[in-house]
Amino acid sequence: MTSRFNPTFLRIFATDMEFKTGLKYLFILLFLVISLAPKAHASADDDVARGQLSGKVIDSVTKAPVSYATISIFKQGSPTPFNGAVTADDGGFTLNNLPMGNYRIVVGFIGYREKTIGGIILNKGTPNVSLGNILLAPSANQLKEVAITAHAATVENKIDKLVYNPATDLTTQGGVALDVMQKVPMVSVDINGNVELMGNSNVQFLINGKPSTIFGSSITDALQAIPASQIKSIEVITNPGAKYDASGTGGIINIILKDNKVEGINGTVNLTAGTRLENANFNLNAKKGKLGFNAFFGGNANLLSATPGSSNSTSNGNTSTTDINEAGSSNFKRSGYRSGLSLNWDITPKDQLIGSVNFNHFGNQGSGYTNVFQSTNYPGINLPVDTSSINNSSSKFSFNSTDVSLSYKKTFENKDQELDILYNYSDGRNTNDYSQQLDYTNIARPSTGSIGDNPGTDKETDIMIDYTQPVAKGFTIETGAKATIENLNNSVATQMLDSTGVYRPFLAQTYSFTYGRKIFAYYLSTSFSLFNDFINGKAGLREEYTTSASSNATIPSYGILAPSFVLQHKLNQTESIKFSYSYRLERPDYRSLNPFYNISDPHNISTGDPNLKPELGHNFELGYNKSFDKGPSIYVAAFYRYNTNDLQSFTHFYQNLTIGDTTYTNVYLSQRANIGREATEGINLYGSMPVGKLTFRTNMFFANRVTDNPPSPQVTGFVYRINLNTSYEFAKDLAAEAFVNYRSSQKGIQGTNPAFLFYNFAVRKQFDHKKFSIGLTAANPFNQYVDVRSITYGSNFYQTSLREIPLRSFGINIMYKFGKLDFKKDKEDNNNNNVPDNSDNGGGGR
């Protein structure tokens, strides 16, 4: 593609039969969603008119907004509130879905006198009431210590994203980000820790809206290094708008870490000890006037564990047929930590500067043995040639990175007018060492082996500027530009074991590889409201131009025009439907482009292809959500995705493969390739149901994937995932939770991915006004291992394998909160239950 508009993807709309078929399925799913969904006026409660109450709380002396003030609303004459909210950073609040009636509100915050406003009347003539500025007077007496907590809905459904808040999840206490991901709607995690969004693994990960090199080396290891206790929320953006990078055909997952913006000094300490996982986290917040400071440290370790495994394969070479049976065990452990400092400076009420520096480390190491029995049959020879051997191997991986960020935010008198400038720099350094040696046990043959040392660097600079301009009521324009500069350097030094038992340099596999990429982007988008708020939406266009350079290959430049839109219609105050589309791409990473061979396992070798093209994807989604007065909620999303130049790993079997002056026998060579076209259609269902002290949440995902790779036959694979989370509150300070997750197997282009079942239990007791808590967790307590069976095949080979992964673990978690002010700003939803939010609230990082 070039940077000019290319109508190729429009022609696909009109000519590709599979694309039309996919759209047909999407609209069939739309019909099912609407027909099965509760009707807008199915109950008497829905016939009752609803209203809205809004206002802004400000300091009566300084005229500055009062953030995090509590708003309690009472029916006139009632002594207890029935609803509430917490003010935003600008002091504003909105209470939606209020029945017509006569109300009073009570506004309060630490260090201010409580204020009551009565005689607020909502009726059909005036359903929406704005109280304007509410002045709070400072109190003469300051409280020394207070604890305030306002919980958000577990799942919030914004117009352009879905937000998962794990604050009340007990089974993830003491865990890591990967544990939290298993509970996020539309996200699935396989047994190896690979993350998919709506069935697509090409996902862009962000931390606080910013990229980081920690995800470039190993996404699984990076998610293992982020403690669950540091996560405030996870944003799932399946169809990102023009403001976001076009990279990631699966969409974006943005991990928002906890912060604190209120006056005082406070913090938390979190410790976990267990049979499989241990971690420790510390978080300190301080704010005085215009300055705010945050420091955190979190470290964790997966303790050493053994994973037995076996495999059987049959392969047909040019001159023989070979059967290989393998059995062995591998020991593995992982560790990591994250630490950082950030400083917030409110230069003026309309100018804010935020700087941060974060340090990241994670690594793993393993060792193991494999007993190999090989039987080779040659034509014309009655007896097979049998060999027995043992392969001993070890590996060690380490990654360290530093992320530096500086952002400036400017607001104006005109509400929602905003200027944002961000500079982000990430510097990652890794080492990857391995050794392996094969010794024959039944024949006199010299041992073979290799040792490899693989250091590398990964540096990325991002410069972004965004500007938002309200034009008229219900119409806003956003525009911005971004430059991304990436530089990677990788070197490999390999030694081979010769016939005398000495390791000597192997020049054919000793090399350096450099790779650079520059991405320049510009976007223009709008937020709008049409037909008297009948439709709310966002639409935009993003252009990106990519240039790449490599020391070993010539990589052509390319451009993309990426349109996107989302349209939402509110059927009533508690029910809405939305439709969205985005056009995205997945760029090959440097490992996929590196043409050199990874020979750490002489029978399973991998390499890259510098001629890979970016994967292109069309994403459609149709969503419906409904919340009920007493707490239940549902969200249903039907989707259709169509990718061309689909990037997937493909394996070939070679009876003999020569690399340099060395010939390897019975080799499975893996390499990413552009595998034709892939279409996926499916549906995701999320539901929450409180029943007294019990709360049930479920997330179900069903999808069918069709892959075309001419001249190979078409491959169809159906997959489903079902999880159920049940919590019970024995008392205000004692709760228990159970979680079970099942993911089915799925057929791929070269085999079947394994199914697996995972379940865990947890209980938590809180003390001293919830400042101190003790929790117990148990994961897969009734099964020591999870059996993972997979099948891989090609035109001349067939392989089955079994791994017994040790997931059973028990742990104890201790958390302590300290300081003069312990405040968690998680906004109260309208019904104080797990109800998706229908608000038109977009934004987020890129």
Side-chain angles (χ1 to χ4, degrees):
M1 296 181 67
T2 68
S3 60
R4 296 176 299 171
F5 179 75
N6 190 328
T8 302
F9 73 91
L10 294 179
R11 291 198 296 269
I12 294 176
F13 281 25
T15 61
D16 196 290
M17 184 60 66
E18 291 176 3
F19 195 86
K20 292 180 179 180
T21 303
L23 289 178
K24 178 183 72 174
Y25 286 131
L26 184 69
F27 286 111
I28 291 174
L29 287 170
L30 167 61
F31 174 77
L32 292 174
V33 169
I34 295 176
S35 63
L36 293 175
K39 300 302 179 183
H41 303 289
S43 67
D45 288 341
D46 288 333
D47 291 330
V48 179
R50 301 282 174 168
Q52 182 185 86
L53 181 64
S54 61
K56 184 175 182 178
V57 180
I58 62 175
D59 188 299
S60 63
V61 177
T62 66
K63 306 305 180 185
V66 180
S67 306
Y68 319 116
T70 57
I71 312 295
S72 301
I73 183 167
F74 300 75
K75 293 180 180 179
Q76 201 64 38
S78 173
T80 57
F82 76 96
N83 207 333
V86 178
T87 57
D89 291 342
D90 63 356
F93 69 90
T94 300
L95 291 165
N96 295 305
N97 197 27
L98 298 174
M100 302 296 102
N102 191 347
Y103 300 104
R104 63 182 172 91
I105 66 167
V106 176
V107 184
F109 188 62
I110 313 296
Y112 291 88
R113 295 192 185 98
E114 193 172 82
K115 185 164 187 174
T116 300
I117 301 175
I120 303 170
I121 299 175
L122 303 180
N123 54 41
K124 291 185 178 180
T126 311
N128 300 327
V129 173
S130 175
L131 300 176
N133 291 336
I134 301 173
L135 302 180
L136 280 190
S139 172
N141 297 319
Q142 301 292 323
L143 296 179
K144 293 183 178 179
E145 184 171 349
V146 67
I148 298 177
T149 302
H151 294 296
T154 302
V155 174
E156 299 175 85
N157 183 26
K158 311 289 186 180
I159 188 173
D160 60 350
K161 60 189 172 185
L162 185 144
V163 182
Y164 180 78
N165 300 298
T168 59
D169 273 341
L170 303 186
T171 53
T172 59
Q173 60 182 329
V176 294
L178 208 58
D179 300 317
V180 181
M181 290 291 171
Q182 296 189 57
K183 294 192 172 185
V184 179
M186 297 185 286
V187 176
S188 61
V189 182
D190 69 13
I191 192 66
N192 298 312
N194 300 311
V195 179
E196 291 183 347
L197 179 54
M198 288 293 207
N200 190 320
S201 60
N202 295 326
V203 180
Q204 182 186 22
F205 282 88
L206 304 174
I207 296 179
N208 290 336
K210 297 183 283 289
S212 174
T213 55
I214 67 170
F215 295 116
S217 183
S218 170
I219 291 177
T220 300
D221 282 325
L223 294 175
Q224 290 273 7
I226 301 175
S229 60
Q230 290 185 357
I231 297 175
K232 176 184 177 182
S233 62
I234 294 178
E235 298 179 346
V236 175
I237 311 170
T238 52
N239 276 322
K243 187 176 182 178
Y244 298 91
D245 287 346
S247 178
T249 52
I252 293 173
I253 295 178
N254 185 21
I255 301 173
I256 306 296
L257 302 180
K258 291 179 179 178
D259 62 358
N260 196 306
K261 299 178 181 179
V262 296
E263 292 284 338
I265 299 175
N266 61 94
T268 59
V269 178
N270 199 304
L271 302 173
T272 298
T275 58
R276 191 167 58 90
L277 176 68
E278 295 180 344
N279 67 46
N281 308 296
F282 173 79
N283 197 49
L284 176 66
N285 304 286
K287 190 175 191 305
K288 180 67 174 179
K290 296 181 178 181
L291 291 176
F293 171 80
N294 171 262
F296 72 89
F297 175 86
N300 66 75
N302 280 86
L303 304 182
L304 186 68
S305 60
T307 302
S310 62
S311 67
N312 298 286
S313 63
T314 299
S315 54
N316 298 308
N318 295 328
T319 60
S320 64
T321 299
T322 302
D323 294 314
I324 299 178
N325 300 316
E326 298 181 330
S329 181
S330 61
N331 297 315
F332 184 82
K333 63 180 180 179
R334 175 189 282 119
S335 62
Y337 67 80
R338 296 189 75 248
S339 63
L341 304 170
S342 67
L343 181 68
N344 296 19
W345 180 23
D346 296 326
I347 306 171
T348 72
K350 298 185 182 300
D351 297 270
Q352 183 185 59
L353 192 66
I354 301 176
S356 67
V357 57
N358 296 321
F359 306 95
N360 312 280
H361 163 79
F362 56 81
N364 61 65
Q365 62 184 82
S367 62
Y369 70 92
T370 303
N371 291 306
V372 183
F373 177 79
Q374 177 177 314
S375 180
T376 304
N377 292 277
Y378 295 92
I381 300 177
N382 293 329
L383 295 177
V385 177
D386 297 335
T387 60
S388 296
S389 59
I390 182 170
N391 186 34
N392 290 283
S393 61
S394 65
S395 64
K396 185 177 182 180
F397 171 78
S398 178
F399 179 85
N400 297 277
S401 74
T402 302
D403 297 334
V404 179
S405 175
L406 183 65
S407 65
Y408 169 74
K409 179 178 180 179
K410 171 73 174 179
T411 57
F412 302 85
E413 294 295 335
N414 191 356
K415 184 182 178 182
D416 297 329
Q417 184 181 3
E418 187 175 301
L419 173 68
D420 293 280
I421 301 173
L422 173 66
Y423 170 82
N424 190 73
Y425 174 73
S426 189
D427 185 347
R429 301 174 184 273
N430 67 79
T431 59
N432 194 355
D433 304 326
Y434 81 89
S435 67
Q436 68 84 25
Q437 182 168 319
L438 183 71
D439 300 308
Y440 293 92
T441 58
N442 70 329
I443 57 175
R445 182 180 295 181
S447 299
T448 63
S450 63
I451 297 174
D453 179 28
N454 179 201
T457 61
D458 183 355
K459 300 180 180 181
E460 178 176 336
T461 300
D462 298 275
I463 302 173
M464 295 171 269
I465 181 169
D466 301 291
Y467 178 71
T468 303
Q469 176 65 56
V471 177
K473 183 179 179 180
F475 184 75
T476 301
I477 292 178
E478 289 183 87
T479 187
K482 179 181 180 181
T484 300
I485 302 171
E486 299 174 78
N487 290 288
L488 300 101
N489 184 281
N490 183 267
S491 60
V492 176
T494 306
Q495 299 180 63
M496 300 292 293
L497 184 66
D498 66 14
S499 57
T500 65
V502 177
Y503 282 95
R504 302 185 185 280
F506 182 35
L507 297 181
Q509 278 300 107
T510 298
Y511 62 89
S512 293
F513 176 74
T514 60
Y515 175 74
R517 180 164 62 192
K518 298 178 181 178
I519 305 171
F520 301 99
Y522 171 77
Y523 76 91
L524 180 66
S525 67
T526 63
S527 300
F528 52 85
S529 179
L530 303 175
F531 313 117
N532 196 24
D533 290 335
F534 183 79
I535 292 178
N536 296 309
K538 295 186 175 187
L541 183 67
R542 184 181 184 92
E543 181 177 19
E544 293 188 352
Y545 188 75
T546 305
T547 63
S548 303
S550 169
S551 59
N552 306 93
T554 300
I555 304 173
S557 301
Y558 54 89
I560 182 175
L561 278 172
S564 61
F565 69 82
V566 56
L567 302 174
Q568 181 191 60
H569 169 59
K570 293 185 179 180
L571 302 174
N572 55 44
Q573 290 290 338
T574 64
E575 192 174 13
S576 69
I577 189 169
K578 64 181 178 181
F579 178 67
S580 60
Y581 165 78
S582 65
Y583 180 60
R584 301 181 62 75
L585 83 164
E586 175 69 17
R587 298 179 179 89
D589 59 31
Y590 82 98
R591 285 180 297 274
S592 300
L593 300 170
N594 188 344
F596 291 93
Y597 293 89
N598 180 351
I599 59 171
S600 57
D601 182 343
H603 291 295
N604 294 280
I605 297 175
S606 61
T607 187
D609 180 1
N611 297 313
L612 286 177
K613 300 176 182 179
E615 175 182 297
L616 302 174
H618 301 274
N619 299 341
F620 297 86
E621 185 179 333
L622 182 66
Y624 168 85
N625 78 280
K626 167 73 175 177
S627 58
F628 301 85
D629 286 342
K630 295 185 178 181
S633 64
I634 60 170
Y635 178 68
V636 184
F639 66 93
Y640 174 73
R641 298 188 167 191
Y642 181 84
N643 296 341
T644 57
N645 293 331
D646 194 55
L647 284 169
Q648 293 193 40
S649 180
F650 201 84
T651 301
H652 295 274
F653 173 78
Y654 293 90
Q655 185 177 9
N656 297 288
L657 178 66
T658 300
I659 301 175
D661 56 0
T662 301
T663 298
Y664 299 88
T665 61
N666 298 313
V667 174
Y668 294 91
L669 179 66
S670 297
Q671 184 178 35
R672 290 196 84 186
N674 294 115
I675 307 293
R677 302 179 300 271
E678 181 180 273
T680 305
E681 63 236 356
I683 189 168
N684 192 93
L685 303 109
Y686 169 83
S688 175
M689 171 72 74
V691 182
K693 293 186 176 184
L694 272 171
T695 299
F696 298 95
R697 294 200 313 268
T698 186
N699 186 43
M700 295 180 283
F701 174 81
F702 306 89
N704 189 59
R705 182 175 63 196
V706 179
T707 304
D708 281 301
N709 180 32
S712 301
Q714 185 181 85
V715 177
T716 300
F718 178 76
V719 66
Y720 64 92
R721 187 198 72 158
I722 298 176
N723 69 39
L724 176 65
N725 193 96
T726 304
S727 60
Y728 184 80
E729 189 174 292
F730 297 95
K732 290 184 178 181
D733 56 4
L734 179 63
E737 185 175 278
F739 174 73
V740 60
N741 180 72
Y742 177 77
R743 177 189 167 108
S744 73
S745 61
Q746 184 178 27
K747 187 177 181 181
I749 58 174
Q750 281 195 297
T752 302
N753 296 322
F756 77 97
L757 174 70
F758 178 80
Y759 58 94
N760 54 15
F761 306 95
V763 62
R764 182 178 65 189
K765 171 67 176 176
Q766 296 174 309
F767 305 89
D768 193 14
H769 305 289
K770 299 186 178 181
K771 290 197 301 182
F772 178 76
S773 68
I774 297 178
L776 301 175
T777 59
N780 277 47
F782 307 118
N783 303 88
Q784 181 179 0
Y785 297 102
V786 173
D787 291 347
V788 179
R789 303 177 188 274
S790 59
I791 299 173
T792 307
Y793 50 78
S795 59
N796 59 348
F797 72 93
Y798 186 89
Q799 184 181 61
T800 62
S801 65
L802 167 66
R803 287 189 302 143
E804 299 176 76
I805 300 179
L807 287 184
R808 182 165 66 185
S809 66
F810 302 91
I812 180 171
N813 174 261
I814 298 174
M815 184 182 69
Y816 176 68
K817 302 177 183 179
F818 64 90
K820 290 185 178 180
L821 184 61
D822 174 20
F823 189 99
K824 184 188 298 178
K825 190 222 174 195
D826 286 336
K827 290 192 178 181
E828 195 90 27
D829 67 272
N830 293 334
N831 295 308
N832 197 28
N833 285 300
N834 297 330
V835 181
D837 181 9
N838 295 325
S839 64
D840 180 10
N841 185 10
R846 290 158 293 135

